[in-house]
Amino acid sequence: MIYVVRSGAHRKWAYLRCPDAPDEVIQLSLMKERRPNWEVESDLFGRPTLSPSVRQLSGSHAHFWLRVGRVDRCPDHLREPVARTGHA
């Protein structure tokens, strides 16, 4: 289940429990002016779809798509992200 916080007609935040760590609450910005941000839509049955994928950089390290109410895990799911190093 996703909870969407609104201010008037504007969607601001989406909250959901991590599918792999139910005690972990994921907060996603729905505000276009913030980066990163997500879009959430629901079908006629109320099943949510999030775009883009959700990647937890800490905690559970979950990486998944939520499509039509179903969690589709990415190949790097539950793996700690690899640190990117910059070159001078």
Side-chain angles (χ1 to χ4, degrees):
M1 180 173 296
I2 293 181
Y3 295 94
V4 175
V5 176
R6 299 174 180 264
S7 178
H10 302 286
R11 293 176 172 191
K12 298 194 129 208
W13 299 99
Y15 292 90
L16 64 147
R17 292 200 181 275
C18 179
D20 294 292
D23 57 325
E24 190 174 311
V25 176
I26 298 172
Q27 175 182 329
L28 304 171
S29 174
L30 303 176
M31 296 175 274
K32 299 281 184 202
E33 63 276 0
R34 291 186 63 131
R35 296 287 184 256
N37 65 58
W38 285 259
E39 292 184 23
V40 63
E41 297 178 5
S42 295
D43 68 4
L44 293 173
F45 300 102
R47 297 176 298 194
T49 295
L50 279 172
S51 182
S53 67
V54 177
R55 176 69 162 129
Q56 290 296 88
L57 299 177
S58 62
S60 68
H61 299 294
H63 189 189
F64 60 91
W65 289 93
L66 182 61
R67 298 177 177 139
V68 195
R70 197 174 118 216
V71 174
D72 293 322
R73 287 163 175 86
C74 296
D76 63 348
H77 179 69
L78 301 181
R79 289 191 206 130
E80 204 167 324
V82 176
R84 296 183 184 191
T85 58
H87 298 287

